[in-house]
Amino acid sequence: QIQLVESGGDLVQPGGSLRLSCTASGFTISDYVMSWHRQAPGKNRELVASISRSGDFSNRVDSVKGRFTISRDNSKNTVYLQMNSLKVEDTAVYYCKAAGNSVYWGQGTQVTVSS
């Protein structure tokens, strides 16, 4: 069964850190560009960061540059999003996406930044 399962979402105070994980099953992520997206209440889903198949290249949206880092471990079939200096406006459901010959989405994990 093909699945992407995110984990690591939590309630955290502003300035805190979280690391999200996304583990794939049923396919090999090394064949896919991986990315993280987020959707806040009442807003459209937006791309946060993406990483190439080998992990050599990555991109991040301007609002998270210097704070978020995307990485991948193809041997573990897992992609990560390290989030530091979290802000209230980072509150959203975070989704993992695999894009290649097919496109797969995870079910999302909730990140809430609040004091």
Side-chain angles (χ1 to χ4, degrees):
Q1 183 181 3
I2 291 175
Q3 272 189 312
L4 284 173
V5 179
E6 302 98 333
S7 61
D10 205 346
L11 169 64
V12 62
Q13 292 187 342
S17 298
L18 284 174
R19 187 175 84 153
L20 305 183
S21 299
C22 171
T23 299
S25 58
F27 69 101
T28 304
I29 68 165
S30 60
D31 295 329
Y32 292 78
V33 173
M34 301 298 294
S35 56
W36 286 96
H37 303 249
R38 66 185 180 186
Q39 188 166 19
K43 294 189 177 181
N44 292 330
R45 191 174 298 189
E46 66 168 348
L47 173 66
V48 176
S50 63
I51 188 166
S52 63
R53 291 173 178 82
S54 65
D56 290 342
F57 301 101
S58 64
N59 288 301
R60 289 161 292 179
V61 67
D62 284 347
S63 61
V64 306
K65 283 183 179 178
R67 301 189 298 122
F68 290 11
T69 302
I70 187 171
S71 62
R72 64 193 295 161
D73 187 338
N74 288 343
S75 68
K76 295 183 178 180
N77 232 22
T78 299
V79 62
Y80 305 97
L81 186 67
Q82 178 66 43
M83 306 187 295
N84 299 328
S85 302
L86 281 160
K87 303 177 180 180
V88 171
E89 51 264 41
D90 294 319
T91 295
V93 178
Y94 284 71
Y95 298 89
C96 176
K97 175 185 174 183
N101 289 335
S102 300
V103 175
Y104 305 118
W105 288 91
Q107 83 291 344
T109 185
Q110 177 70 48
V111 172
T112 302
V113 185
S114 175
S115 55

